[in-house]
Amino acid sequence: MGVINLMKKSTFLVFTMPSFLMMVFFIAAPLLIVIVQSFQFNQDVLQTIEREKCDPFGCKTEIVTVPLLDTDGKKIKNNQWVGFQNYSNILKFDQLSNIVSEKGFSWKDIRSIDFYKALRFTLTFTFLTLPFILILGLCLALCVNALFNKLKGPVIFITLLPFIITPVIGALSIKWLFIGDGILTSFLEYLLDKDIAIFSSSWSIEILMLFYRVWHTTPFAFVIFYAALQTVDKEKIEASFVDGANRFQRLRYIIIPHILPLIVFVSLIHLMDAYRVFDEIVGFSASGYITSLQWMTYDYLKLDDAGNRYIGRASATSILTMIGIVIILIPIVKKTFKDQKERQQ
Amino acid sequence: MDSKLFNLPFALKITVGFILTLWCLIAIFPLLWIILMSIKLPVDSFASNPLEVILGPATKGQVGGLSVLSIFFFSIALLIIYFFYRLRLVFFFYLRSLFKNSIISFFLSLVIYIFLFYFLFFIAQNNISFYFNLIVLKTYLPNFLSNPIIGFTSQHYVSVWFDNEFYKQFLNTMMVTAGVVSISLTVGTLAGYGLARSNSMIAFWLLILALIFRALPHSVLVTGYLEPFIEYGLYGKKTAVIILLVAINQPFTIWMLRSFFMNIPQDLDEAAQIDGCNPFQAFWKVIMPLMWPGVITTGLFSFLLAYNDYLVAALLLDGQSQTMVPAIMQYFNMETKMTDLVEAIAAAASITAPLFLLVLFFQKQIVSGLTQGAVKG
């Protein structure tokens, strides 16, 4: 490349040091902590005491379990090394092998284990939305490109809205169209002439969530593709006219190869974002029916009714989630590197 | 572009028009619908007949609504907003000549716009229609002009923002976003400049590392830091959320700022250094003045990340220190009456208003920000 290496190494280090340190301290360090925690069992030390409880009808003693406090009034924690116990609590291999050996690979039973249920949804969600987003984004970009200049601005404005809106609120706004006797549910009921309850079965919630994600991410794909369309080589297109190519052939042989790197880029970003699906589950209040991997971590981290957090299990699910995204991204990154090398040679 | 070459046949024109109309409807309909629900009494908001939700007969009967005239005034208010929008840079340049500082004047003009918007929408709207109806009564204009035709009530907004003290959550969100935007821009600009002006192996690996960190699920960071935060009393403090959001945001920020810096020719650095600047003076006095568009764009995306966050705030904050998005979800979970539900919807609708404005004012920057990362990355 023609870039002269203007900056001295020491200057470069001074400029990048704050950001680098920040990433080390606040991304890499918690990552290590999570790895350590995933092998630990972390519990409050409990004690049972007798306590006298009085109400207007008299006093009685009861035995309660309360966390043991140290002199500062903090709960005393007991960190124990448990090896892979957190992982096996989540993956439940023994239960899985039982199911498989008894009933074969029956999905109905495997689904009863939270982790596999969440994994199934996360993967379906990530990969099923991808083609829709790419095709719809490209289609919109082509359409807007063919629009009069005056209308382009307003159409882009409206298109950007679903992308910019708070994901939880966006999901809520779609939920409100369908919940109970929401207008779209009533419309569907009118069309199909039967009673519909979208939020009482998991498959219909799942379809809504997929729809939401396509609605939310298509603008991103659209903007990228639209920008790329502005840089298509016009001479090539004119040449294709001379050669008598039709519209579809032009799309297939000139435009798509031109924007191919960007299709890879959009897919990469989408896979990263969709894999950590979480906001939809909150927005659609779907946790009773559908959960995702990141939701599992969140659920373990929340205080439960007994006032406990399952840090160890949360860490283990985090690690498993991370392993998943690495597996998904490796082929794409590998291919990009290969292409880069070929181009350089 | 040679228009003859790109002329579409009629059938294709119709298809394009149809697809775009359909998409625009799908894109904006859910958002418009929650706004519509939030200005009606529960009876109308949850009616299964869409016409009732739009026209709001019960709301009209019990509270009142908008007449043809007030709608007319409403549209004039919208036109005024549009006029200000066309003049959007005037405030900025005026304030900059006053304060000699781009950042302060930028935020001041933003505040002025947001204030104007709320003023025109919620305060002036009621007063204007009141006085106008008075004039109408005095001048004996025909009834059909001044009688309400569409039910309208702002009571849910009033009770959310004032009775339920939603403004506290609003302030919390603003504090968190301000912290996240300022810290990630300061740290990110330095790193972005360094990365754009170096092609050493360290720079390359730093960028790859950032890309890997970009893929991390956000819950990982919270899981790692929850225990230490509780231990050292940071739990429930906004600082904790700011730290984590800045960290989550950092990979994306340095990639985007780097690509903006790469658009600024390196000759400028060289010229500045020949004239006797050291690298930091060159950076601050020569390059940064050219970088403001890039910084504003990156700042927008940092703002969106912090403003839209649910996961981190829901896990690390509670009660009084909670930000808006988790607070709204708590509303929905606590809701007992239909009115509470509509109030929660009003809260949801009102936190989307600043985002609407953001797209309105910064459409170009958002588009350029999105494409920057793609083209240069």
Side-chain angles (χ1 to χ4, degrees):
Chain A
M1 307 282 271
V3 185
I4 320 153
N5 201 351
L6 192 76
M7 198 176 261
K8 277 192 218 127
K9 204 175 219 172
S10 56
T11 329
F12 169 75
L13 285 181
V14 173
F15 270 111
T16 46
M17 200 43 81
S19 172
F20 180 70
L21 286 182
M22 190 140 225
M23 289 201 280
V24 167
F25 275 119
F26 297 117
I27 304 181
L31 214 61
L32 286 180
I33 297 178
V34 170
I35 294 174
V36 172
Q37 279 175 349
S38 71
F39 296 108
Q40 282 181 338
F41 184 68
N42 167 303
Q43 203 184 25
D44 295 339
V45 180
L46 298 176
Q47 66 182 145
T48 43
I49 51 166
E50 279 186 8
R51 193 162 59 180
E52 208 164 295
K53 195 183 171 190
C54 293
D55 54 27
F57 307 105
C59 291
K60 52 187 169 187
T61 48
E62 56 177 10
I63 296 168
V64 285
T65 323
V66 291
L68 194 64
L69 303 180
D70 65 4
T71 43
D72 296 338
K74 280 180 185 161
K75 291 176 187 173
I76 297 175
K77 299 268 181 186
N78 181 14
N79 285 345
Q80 248 182 320
W81 284 92
V82 290
F84 284 93
Q85 196 187 315
N86 285 321
Y87 290 95
S88 62
N89 271 338
I90 291 160
L91 293 171
K92 291 189 177 141
F93 280 133
D94 44 346
Q95 206 174 326
L96 188 69
S97 59
N98 269 350
I99 291 171
V100 173
S101 62
E102 273 172 30
K103 302 175 185 171
F105 200 79
S106 96
W107 175 241
K108 224 178 189 175
D109 297 302
I110 295 175
R111 207 171 48 190
S112 65
I113 304 172
D114 284 341
F115 178 78
Y116 299 103
K117 194 175 132 190
L119 183 68
R120 202 274 314 160
F121 170 70
T122 310
L123 292 180
T124 320
F125 184 82
T126 311
F127 289 104
L128 215 59
T129 45
L130 182 62
F132 285 98
I133 287 165
L134 292 178
I135 291 170
L136 198 61
L138 184 57
C139 175
L140 285 179
L142 290 170
C143 287
V144 172
N145 206 27
L147 208 61
F148 323 101
N149 281 332
K150 278 219 156 171
L151 277 176
K152 278 178 185 169
V155 171
I156 294 176
F157 168 71
I158 293 176
T159 307
L160 278 177
L161 285 176
F163 176 66
I164 242 77
I165 228 74
T166 313
V168 175
I169 305 295
L172 264 181
S173 70
I174 288 179
K175 178 184 164 189
W176 281 106
L177 298 177
F178 289 99
I179 201 164
D181 270 335
I183 52 150
L184 288 189
T185 313
S186 345
F187 181 65
L188 284 179
E189 280 174 352
Y190 171 76
L191 277 188
L192 303 172
D193 200 26
K194 60 179 175 190
D195 211 25
I196 296 174
I198 301 251
F199 287 92
S200 60
S201 58
S202 65
W203 64 269
S204 50
I205 301 179
E206 195 169 330
I207 287 175
L208 265 192
M209 285 165 122
L210 294 177
F211 171 79
Y212 164 76
R213 184 51 76 129
V214 173
W215 183 76
H216 174 71
T217 317
T218 300
F220 170 67
F222 156 77
V223 168
I224 304 279
F225 293 154
Y226 179 68
L229 284 183
Q230 312 306 311
T231 60
V232 174
D233 191 354
K234 271 171 223 151
E235 279 175 19
K236 265 190 193 168
I237 294 204
E238 274 167 36
S240 74
F241 269 99
V242 177
D243 293 345
N246 64 25
R247 245 164 244 288
F248 178 74
Q249 285 167 328
R250 241 176 356 257
L251 181 69
R252 170 78 186 75
Y253 294 105
I254 299 177
I255 295 177
I256 295 208
H258 176 73
I259 63 169
L260 194 64
L262 295 172
I263 292 180
V264 174
F265 170 77
V266 171
S267 314
L268 192 73
I269 298 288
H270 171 73
L271 291 181
M272 286 181 187
D273 288 344
Y275 184 76
R276 49 178 178 229
V277 46
F278 172 77
D279 287 352
E280 281 89 343
I281 294 172
V282 177
F284 285 109
S285 342
S287 54
Y289 299 95
I290 291 170
T291 55
S292 72
L293 293 177
Q294 191 162 236
W295 171 270
M296 279 183 79
T297 313
Y298 171 83
D299 206 30
Y300 284 133
L301 284 180
K302 272 264 171 217
L303 281 177
D304 68 359
D305 296 334
N308 282 321
R309 288 191 169 86
Y310 298 95
I311 303 274
R313 286 191 197 180
S315 306
T317 36
S318 295
I319 299 290
L320 291 171
T321 315
M322 252 162 34
I323 292 172
I325 188 68
V326 168
I327 291 172
I328 290 176
L329 291 184
I330 280 177
I332 301 182
V333 174
K334 237 183 185 170
K335 191 168 179 325
T336 319
F337 264 98
K338 228 179 177 177
D339 290 352
Q340 204 84 24
K341 262 188 191 162
E342 273 168 21
R343 222 176 293 163
Q344 275 173 0
Q345 276 160 10
Chain B
M1 215 182 259
D2 191 348
S3 58
K4 242 191 282 172
L5 285 182
F6 294 89
N7 260 344
L8 297 177
F10 183 68
L12 213 54
K13 261 186 198 163
I14 298 288
T15 325
V16 165
F18 176 73
I19 292 176
L20 284 180
T21 322
L22 189 69
W23 163 254
C24 287
L25 260 179
I26 294 174
I28 206 168
F29 183 72
L31 303 172
L32 285 185
W33 199 255
I34 58 167
I35 294 175
L36 208 56
M37 283 170 86
S38 68
I39 55 168
K40 298 285 149 69
L41 289 180
V43 189
D44 289 329
S45 301
F46 296 104
S48 52
N49 180 357
L51 265 181
E52 272 176 38
V53 185
I54 293 170
L55 294 175
T59 316
K60 193 172 73 183
Q62 289 172 33
V63 188
L66 301 172
S67 61
V68 174
L69 282 170
S70 46
I71 290 172
F72 174 70
F73 258 80
F74 200 68
S75 11
I76 286 190
L78 277 180
L79 272 181
I80 295 173
I81 291 174
Y82 180 69
F83 174 72
F84 278 121
Y85 166 64
R86 295 306 293 257
L87 288 174
R88 64 192 180 281
L89 288 176
V90 171
F91 275 135
F92 174 66
F93 284 124
Y94 177 69
L95 289 169
R96 201 172 61 172
S97 67
L98 262 178
F99 291 103
K100 311 274 183 233
N101 185 329
S102 313
I103 310 174
I104 295 178
S105 38
F106 168 74
F107 281 108
L108 266 179
S109 53
L110 201 69
V111 168
I112 291 177
Y113 276 114
I114 291 173
F115 181 74
L116 264 179
F117 183 81
Y118 272 101
F119 181 75
L120 285 172
F121 246 74
F122 294 114
I123 303 169
Q125 193 273 330
N126 285 337
N127 292 334
I128 288 174
S129 60
F130 173 73
Y131 287 117
F132 206 81
N133 285 339
L134 214 67
I135 298 169
V136 170
L137 289 176
K138 287 269 158 64
T139 49
Y140 304 105
L141 272 175
N143 269 344
F144 71 90
L145 281 181
S146 55
N147 282 348
I149 51 163
I150 294 178
F152 172 87
T153 168
S154 54
Q155 70 185 53
H156 305 301
Y157 285 92
V158 174
S159 61
V160 164
W161 281 88
F162 299 107
D163 304 346
N164 290 337
E165 300 186 321
F166 195 59
Y167 64 88
K168 282 186 181 162
Q169 269 89 45
F170 176 77
L171 287 180
N172 289 335
T173 302
M174 284 301 132
M175 268 142 83
V176 169
T177 29
V180 171
V181 171
S182 51
I183 298 175
S184 40
L185 283 185
T186 321
V187 178
T189 321
L190 291 173
Y193 178 67
L195 290 169
R197 293 295 186 256
S198 167
N199 51 8
S200 62
M201 278 316 276
I202 313 175
F204 173 77
W205 284 112
L206 202 58
L207 283 168
I208 295 295
L209 189 71
L211 194 69
I212 296 169
F213 285 158
R214 165 80 174 69
L216 283 188
H218 300 164
S219 58
V220 175
L221 304 188
V222 189
T223 318
Y225 265 131
L226 195 61
E227 284 275 271
F229 279 160
I230 294 174
E231 190 75 7
Y232 295 106
L234 271 171
Y235 177 80
K237 300 262 163 55
K238 287 182 243 357
T239 329
V241 178
I242 292 175
I243 292 173
L244 281 183
L245 286 177
V246 168
I248 288 171
N249 200 15
Q250 199 51 218
F252 170 77
T253 316
I254 61 176
W255 268 90
M256 186 179 266
L257 283 167
R258 171 181 168 268
S259 58
F260 273 107
F261 275 119
M262 285 177 75
N263 287 348
I264 297 174
Q266 211 156 21
D267 303 349
L268 285 175
D269 303 51
E270 276 174 64
Q273 296 203 0
I274 288 168
D275 286 347
C277 289
N278 67 34
F280 300 99
Q281 287 170 327
F283 164 72
W284 186 246
K285 293 193 172 146
V286 180
I287 306 297
M288 272 319 276
L290 297 172
M291 259 304 279
W292 287 118
V295 171
I296 289 174
T297 307
T298 316
L300 276 176
F301 283 91
S302 312
F303 173 86
L304 284 177
L305 179 103
Y307 190 86
N308 289 345
D309 163 71
Y310 175 88
L311 178 67
V312 178
L315 282 173
L316 288 182
L317 296 178
D318 52 11
Q320 288 296 305
S321 62
Q322 196 53 281
T323 54
M324 291 198 284
V325 184
I328 289 177
M329 289 317 293
Q330 276 167 16
Y331 263 112
F332 276 115
N333 294 337
M334 285 186 320
E335 116 277 311
T336 43
K337 289 176 297 182
M338 283 303 219
T339 325
D340 295 342
L341 219 53
V342 185
E343 275 172 21
I345 293 176
S350 48
I351 79 161
T352 55
L355 297 174
F356 262 93
L357 284 182
L358 209 71
V359 189
L360 197 66
F361 289 126
F362 297 109
Q363 185 172 329
K364 279 218 177 76
Q365 279 81 352
I366 293 171
V367 170
S368 84
L370 286 176
T371 45
Q372 270 308 320
V375 177
K376 290 278 156 41

